[in-house]
Amino acid sequence: LRRIVVVGHSAGGQFVQRWALSSNSWCFGGGQFANRWAPEADLPHVRVVVANPRSFAYLDNRRYFAHSDQAAADDDDGISPADNDGTLTPFDKYQLRPPSAAEEDGCKEFNRYEWGLDENEEVPAPYIINNVQKLIDQGDNSELFCRYVSRDIVYLSGQRDIDTLGSQICGQGKEDGYQGPSRRERSERFFASLQLRGREVEFCGRSGGETTQVHDRHVVKNVGHDHGLIFQSPEGMQAMLGYKSPT
């Protein structure tokens, strides 16, 4: 066995992203069981493909907030979101930061698991304590982040997966803990947060051509919230199988 590919779409995408973050399996290499159970050289390569999830488990308590209400109101660039193949969030008008006291009061659950890594009594997850929280040293998530960075993860977003979602936590308008209005925008914000954290920790000391990016992400044109179309797309085939489907 040389290669394992774990894929998930929508709720499945939520599952595999959290699994890739929390798993301590020796298959990933570098875990606590790697040397005990299998020689490093004999490990299969594991890739995780995260497609169109509703939300992500953030690695710290920072989210993207507009610099001001006016900046958020000025987001419209005249391009329909469904036709926009760039970013939907104007990152020059947003900042990755912890919520203010008022923002946190408005959504106290924003960083509880499964939206973040804080303990959540309503979603008991002992594997988070056992495999994740022990890697966070007094708020410093560098060890956890670098373990996550070391894993081969590809994020896929449908260009037209832009419906504004309701909020499963905190009530309407809180965007599932300030993650963004739509699945596509939540994906681009999470991916951007990884790049910013990567620069902060100098990409975990990696060398070679991959030192300036954490993981990989593709927006699949003309596809909405559809698992069949996104996995049959050239981007989906490349992510799962290593080659592009005929166009």
Side-chain angles (χ1 to χ4, degrees):
L1 180 64
R2 298 298 180 191
R3 194 165 187 256
I4 299 171
V5 182
V6 182
V7 306
H9 178 267
S10 193
Q14 294 179 201
F15 177 85
V16 299
Q17 187 263 328
R18 289 155 176 86
W19 173 74
L21 173 60
S22 64
S23 175
N24 206 35
S25 171
W26 55 264
C27 284
F28 281 110
Q32 70 184 72
F33 302 121
N35 296 326
R36 184 193 308 180
W37 293 104
E40 189 81 23
D42 290 339
L43 296 177
H45 180 83
V46 179
R47 166 167 283 188
V48 180
V49 182
V50 180
N52 287 340
R54 179 192 178 96
S55 65
F56 293 85
Y58 273 72
L59 280 71
D60 62 25
N61 68 341
R62 295 182 294 178
R63 304 292 185 270
Y64 276 100
F65 292 93
H67 291 307
S68 66
D69 292 340
Q70 185 59 44
D74 291 343
D75 283 355
D76 187 6
D77 57 8
I79 303 174
S80 166
D83 296 326
N84 185 336
D85 57 5
T87 59
L88 299 179
T89 299
F91 286 105
D92 60 329
K93 299 177 182 177
Y94 279 67
Q95 179 184 11
L96 184 68
R97 61 168 175 79
S100 66
E103 289 161 342
E104 187 166 357
D105 283 344
C107 189
K108 294 184 181 297
E109 304 98 316
F110 87 99
N111 203 47
R112 295 177 188 169
Y113 191 76
E114 58 196 84
W115 297 272
L117 296 178
D118 292 346
E119 185 176 357
N120 187 347
E121 294 180 356
E122 296 184 4
V123 186
Y127 52 88
I128 293 296
I129 297 175
N130 295 334
N131 298 341
V132 173
Q133 290 182 351
K134 68 180 181 181
L135 298 179
I136 301 175
D137 181 16
Q138 296 182 350
D140 181 0
N141 73 347
S142 298
E143 185 176 359
L144 172 65
F145 178 81
C146 290
R147 187 181 77 166
Y148 188 59
V149 165
S150 73
R151 298 176 173 178
D152 182 5
I153 303 175
V154 179
Y155 309 93
L156 299 176
S157 292
Q159 181 185 25
R160 297 180 181 274
D161 197 354
I162 55 171
D163 289 346
T164 298
L165 304 172
S167 188
Q168 294 179 325
I169 57 172
C170 306
Q172 196 66 25
K174 298 301 189 294
E175 300 175 345
D176 281 336
Y178 306 117
Q179 294 204 12
S182 67
R183 291 183 183 88
R184 179 179 156 195
E185 197 157 358
R186 293 177 185 189
S187 172
E188 71 184 27
R189 291 188 188 186
F190 178 73
F191 186 71
S193 76
L194 296 179
Q195 311 318 306
L196 191 149
R197 182 61 177 147
R199 291 191 292 273
E200 291 174 346
V201 297
E202 299 181 341
F203 293 94
C204 301
R206 292 184 301 167
S207 60
E210 298 181 352
T211 57
T212 59
Q213 180 168 305
V214 176
H215 300 154
D216 204 359
R217 179 177 178 269
H218 302 283
V219 175
V220 182
K221 289 189 175 182
N222 301 318
V223 171
H225 196 65
D226 188 300
H227 67 277
L229 292 178
I230 205 162
F231 287 138
Q232 293 176 45
S233 69
E235 296 86 353
M237 297 293 283
Q238 180 70 37
M240 293 188 297
L241 304 175
Y243 63 83
K244 294 185 177 180
S245 61
T247 56

